[in-house]
Amino acid sequence: MDGVGQHDGMDGMSGADGLHGAERGMNRRRFLRVLGVAGGGSLAATACGSQSPEKLIPYLIPVEDQVPGVATWYATTCRECPAGCGVHARVREGRAVKLEGNPDHPINHGKLCARGQAALQGLYNPDRVRGPLAKNAAGTFEPISWQDAVTRVGERLGAAPGAQVWFVTGNEAGTFDRLVSDWLTTLGSSGRVVYEPFGYEALRHATREVFGTEELPRYDLGAARYIVSFGADFLETWLSPLEYTRGFVASHAFADGTMGKFVHVEPRMSLTAQNADEWIPPAPGTEGVLALAIAHVIVRDRLGSPPSDAARLRPTFQAYAPEAAAGRCGVSAATIERLAREFTAGPSVAVAGGMGAQHADAHATAAAVHLLNYVAGNVGRTVGFGAAPNATGGRRYQRLVDLTQAMREDRVAVLFVHGANPAYASPAGLGLAAALARVPFKVSFSRFLDETAMEADLILPDHDPLEQWNDFEPRAGVSLLQQPVMQPVFDTRQTGDVLLELARLMGGRMAQRFTAATYQDYLQDAWRRLHQQRCSRETFDTFWTESLMRGCVWSEPRP
């Protein structure tokens, strides 16, 4: 492992004792057995009443960057959700024992949510797939070697037309995302599918209709003194929870003797609604009606600082007068009038999402909130665009529909799935799970035996995010690094390395296009280009080392 870490002092706590969360989540003996896989000497410890000794394996001869009894901290990136928060991993005797937020990170500024804190549970989970598996004639999985697994995939790729190779991934934005796209293109395929169960499809659709771009807006909650959320649970799971929680705290704080206000509009009393100053429960599915009614009052009375062409939208809001809207959404006309005046009294922002963006008119609700922000003059102030590294991102749900149709028509010969579980997460009406049975050869890179992996012919388990090299770009100007904080617990292999090995095995254009020996080399080549783009005077080695120590580089101003 060539990662970069920093040591701290001795604290007298063993590596196993430091894993508080992981140890509580499983049987102690199973936990010690998992830890025993990752070491290199042996220390036999016979448990009372056990039939055979159990082994806890520490360092017999420690490597250079590990000192027994002294913790090493590695900066890396949390991949438990698409937010891309920075973390510091505390490592003792070669094992990660604690995760904390990276205080120098531009997204989370040292904070870490419960989901990020629990990432160690996935790292040491005894239910992880421990090595490559192949489905036999009886329909069960049996272990095979990595060499055999890669050879089988290469043979299938060599026999299949390139256009009939499809690749499904989760939310990826960075070097691995480009590797998969380039790998498929070189193979002659356009079958790339990016699938997120919570892909904010309605918000993307509304943004395309109102502003002509598919990227998700970026909301500056910290710059607003009045926040209206139409179902967006930004204190829970919506978009970037830690970033928006920090913004909410800044917005809600006292300044100049006053305090910001937060109004939550949602039929359900969510955790975010419980933290609101005012909760307004409209009739389910009518959140957009309320947003347009507020916009009607703003345009009618010329409140706040609307853009010069806001008046042209007056016919759009004509049917949403407060008296008419009150009967539809169950919110009184007086409340609508008051919300409009409060919303335009100072810096404000409106957001839409959560359960309010999951019904049949979800895109209409999001579009109504976009229009409300526009007539209030918030676009360009507290609502911004241009931060997405890829405005479209290839994340349209239609691509999953296209894949399902291709599978039904027997136009998919080889299917790869990485970081997604569409057999479970896709809508039942789509029929994707049934269509999977028609694909002759399916390869899953899942770390667990999920529903999609169970339908695969081969399972090639990927490293845990804490065991792998990678990067992530949550938005333009922010490049986040992942480095392995410890050796792999099981016999897994990084998917990027598998794709590069397959390219070499297939030869021809594939071997000529992908010449990197390892995915780490491929990643460093990408960061060499980033280093050149930044026109930095420092050498690449210095740039790379400092980036690893910080966990990221960014060019946008840090709030």
Side-chain angles (χ1 to χ4, degrees):
M1 184 175 70
D2 296 322
V4 175
Q6 296 179 346
H7 297 290
D8 66 7
M10 298 177 64
D11 58 8
M13 183 173 65
S14 69
D17 290 336
L19 276 168
H20 302 300
E23 192 167 353
R24 285 196 295 265
M26 64 184 76
N27 179 278
R28 177 175 175 81
R29 292 182 183 174
R30 295 182 71 194
F31 175 68
L32 294 178
R33 193 174 298 119
V34 172
L35 284 184
V37 177
S42 67
L43 176 63
T46 304
C48 181
S50 63
Q51 296 180 357
S52 61
E54 298 180 358
K55 295 181 179 180
L56 177 63
I57 304 177
Y59 276 118
L60 185 61
I61 302 177
V63 295
E64 289 185 8
D65 62 344
Q66 298 290 342
V67 181
V70 178
T72 304
W73 293 87
Y74 291 91
T76 187
T77 300
C78 177
R79 296 304 307 275
E80 293 298 306
C81 82
C85 294
V87 297
H88 281 165
R90 184 174 182 267
V91 179
R92 287 285 302 269
E93 283 75 53
R95 302 181 184 97
V97 298
K98 190 68 173 71
L99 299 179
E100 296 292 352
N102 183 349
D104 295 326
H105 203 272
I107 292 179
N108 58 315
H109 294 255
K111 308 300 181 183
L112 195 60
C113 70
R115 191 169 176 180
Q117 292 280 1
L120 288 177
Q121 296 278 7
L123 174 66
Y124 294 116
N125 194 324
D127 292 329
R128 283 179 61 183
V129 179
R130 303 191 175 201
L133 301 175
K135 186 172 288 184
N136 55 29
T140 59
F141 288 104
E142 57 184 16
I144 61 174
S145 68
W146 274 105
Q147 182 178 359
D148 186 13
V150 174
T151 300
R152 293 190 190 191
V153 178
E155 290 174 351
R156 289 283 188 161
L157 287 174
Q164 294 187 11
V165 178
W166 287 65
F167 208 124
V168 181
T169 70
N171 182 16
E172 296 287 345
T175 300
F176 180 74
D177 176 68
R178 291 187 288 271
L179 171 61
V180 173
S181 296
D182 293 346
W183 193 86
L184 282 176
T185 301
T186 308
L187 200 61
S189 170
S190 58
R192 175 73 191 281
V193 181
V194 177
Y195 179 62
E196 296 178 76
F198 299 99
Y200 310 103
E201 188 80 11
L203 186 56
R204 292 183 189 277
H205 185 186
T207 308
R208 182 172 66 250
E209 287 187 341
V210 177
F211 298 112
T213 177
E214 289 192 22
E215 70 170 288
L216 295 173
R218 184 182 177 192
Y219 301 99
D220 190 354
L221 302 189
R225 299 296 290 170
Y226 196 92
I227 301 173
V228 181
S229 170
F230 292 85
D233 51 341
F234 57 82
L235 297 181
E236 301 166 65
T237 62
W238 188 69
L239 290 178
S240 185
L242 277 179
E243 187 174 18
Y244 287 136
T245 298
R246 286 179 44 254
F248 165 70
V249 171
S251 170
H252 210 243
F254 278 98
D256 299 327
T258 62
M259 185 176 179
K261 184 175 181 179
F262 169 38
V263 178
H264 191 78
V265 179
E266 185 180 18
R268 180 178 69 100
M269 175 60 81
S270 63
L271 175 63
T272 303
Q274 293 178 28
N275 285 273
D277 298 292
E278 182 178 0
W279 173 51
I280 299 177
T286 64
E287 296 89 344
V289 174
L290 177 58
L292 292 175
I294 297 173
H296 172 94
V297 176
I298 293 174
V299 173
R300 182 197 66 192
D301 297 346
R302 300 179 182 179
L303 301 175
S305 303
S308 57
D309 59 346
R312 66 182 174 83
L313 295 174
R314 185 170 298 173
T316 304
F317 307 127
Q318 200 63 40
Y320 297 94
E323 295 75 14
R328 297 170 61 184
C329 65
V331 179
S332 68
T335 300
I336 295 174
E337 296 273 357
R338 174 177 59 82
L339 289 175
R341 282 165 172 74
E342 290 178 353
F343 191 68
T344 52
S348 63
V349 65
V351 294
M355 294 303 296
Q358 302 300 323
H359 50 75
D361 293 327
H363 71 284
T365 299
V369 174
H370 280 334
L371 291 174
L372 173 59
N373 277 316
Y374 180 75
V375 300
N378 292 334
V379 177
R381 298 175 184 172
T382 55
V383 181
F385 296 93
N390 183 351
T392 61
R395 294 176 177 84
R396 291 189 188 181
Y397 175 72
Q398 181 61 43
R399 290 296 292 157
L400 194 67
V401 176
D402 295 341
L403 169 61
T404 305
Q405 185 64 28
M407 291 191 295
R408 289 198 188 103
E409 297 174 357
D410 299 326
R411 292 187 285 111
V412 180
V414 179
L415 176 66
F416 295 97
V417 182
H418 176 276
N421 186 11
Y424 171 79
S426 62
L430 180 61
L432 183 140
L436 272 175
R438 303 183 64 91
V439 180
F441 191 69
K442 302 174 285 291
V443 179
S444 171
F445 297 100
S446 176
R447 294 178 289 126
F448 298 94
L449 288 173
D450 57 36
E451 287 76 6
T452 305
M454 291 298 293
E455 299 297 323
D457 299 284
L458 273 181
I459 300 179
L460 310 181
D462 193 13
H463 285 336
D464 185 88
L466 293 172
E467 300 169 334
Q468 65 178 235
W469 288 102
N470 216 334
D471 62 1
F472 189 62
E473 299 174 14
R475 56 176 178 258
V478 179
S479 299
L480 314 178
L481 263 176
Q482 288 175 246
Q483 62 174 318
V485 303
M486 59 178 283
Q487 296 293 334
V489 177
F490 301 115
D491 184 23
T492 56
R493 185 174 295 186
Q494 186 152 0
T495 302
D497 284 317
V498 174
L499 296 182
L500 293 174
E501 186 174 351
L502 284 171
R504 291 191 295 269
L505 184 63
M506 297 177 68
R509 291 186 305 164
M510 295 292 287
Q512 295 173 3
R513 172 65 181 82
F514 302 100
T515 58
T518 65
Y519 182 71
Q520 180 183 352
D521 295 334
Y522 189 88
L523 177 68
Q524 284 186 312
D525 289 341
W527 278 66
R528 282 189 176 88
R529 292 190 290 271
L530 176 63
H531 173 251
Q532 294 172 356
Q533 293 170 4
R534 292 172 64 88
C535 301
S536 177
R537 296 181 180 179
E538 60 189 358
T539 65
F540 173 74
D541 289 342
T542 301
F543 169 76
W544 175 255
T545 302
E546 290 182 352
S547 298
L548 283 175
M549 293 181 67
R550 290 190 300 176
C552 58
V553 295
W554 66 89
S555 56
E556 63 174 13
R558 188 176 186 267

